[in-house]
Amino acid sequence: MQRWTSLASLADIDAATGDLTVTLNPASGSIAAVSDTIVTVGSNGNAVTISGSLAELNSYFGSGPEITFTPTANFNGAVDIDVTVNDNGNTGAGSGNDVPLGTIVM
């Protein structure tokens, strides 16, 4: 298991107070995040979803949340983790975008 903290911040000029959803999806293995009272944390297969308003998500990620990655058994190497931020169609054009997080080397 690999634990890391994220000090990421998000921006969406037209999200207003609507909820956004951040999805962390590893190519293999699984991800988990510790929930708190600010955002909603859920799971979708091996991925984790974190939902809340833009201000709530920035507060959550700015506090260095505990996010853990667990590789598949006997895995050794790099794993890509896709990050999707979706504004759930709040206001304005578009519905979100994909942002590559990078790799974790085990």
Side-chain angles (χ1 to χ4, degrees):
M1 178 169 51
Q2 177 74 35
R3 178 179 175 220
W4 76 92
T5 57
S6 169
L7 297 177
S9 65
L10 306 171
D12 186 336
I13 61 171
D14 62 358
T17 59
D19 281 353
L20 288 82
T21 302
V22 176
T23 303
L24 304 167
N25 189 15
S28 66
S30 62
I31 290 188
V34 174
S35 186
D36 69 5
T37 59
I38 298 173
V39 298
T40 302
V41 174
S43 62
N44 183 7
N46 295 336
V48 66
T49 58
I50 305 166
S51 299
S53 71
L54 184 61
E56 291 167 341
L57 288 169
N58 280 330
S59 177
Y60 177 77
F61 284 114
S63 69
E66 182 178 332
I67 300 173
T68 56
F69 168 75
T70 304
T72 56
N74 303 314
F75 180 82
N76 185 8
V79 175
D80 289 324
I81 299 173
D82 292 325
V83 176
T84 303
V85 180
N86 191 310
D87 70 2
N88 298 311
N90 287 314
T91 62
S95 62
N97 56 63
D98 296 334
V99 180
L101 177 65
T103 59
I104 298 172
V105 179
M106 302 306 291

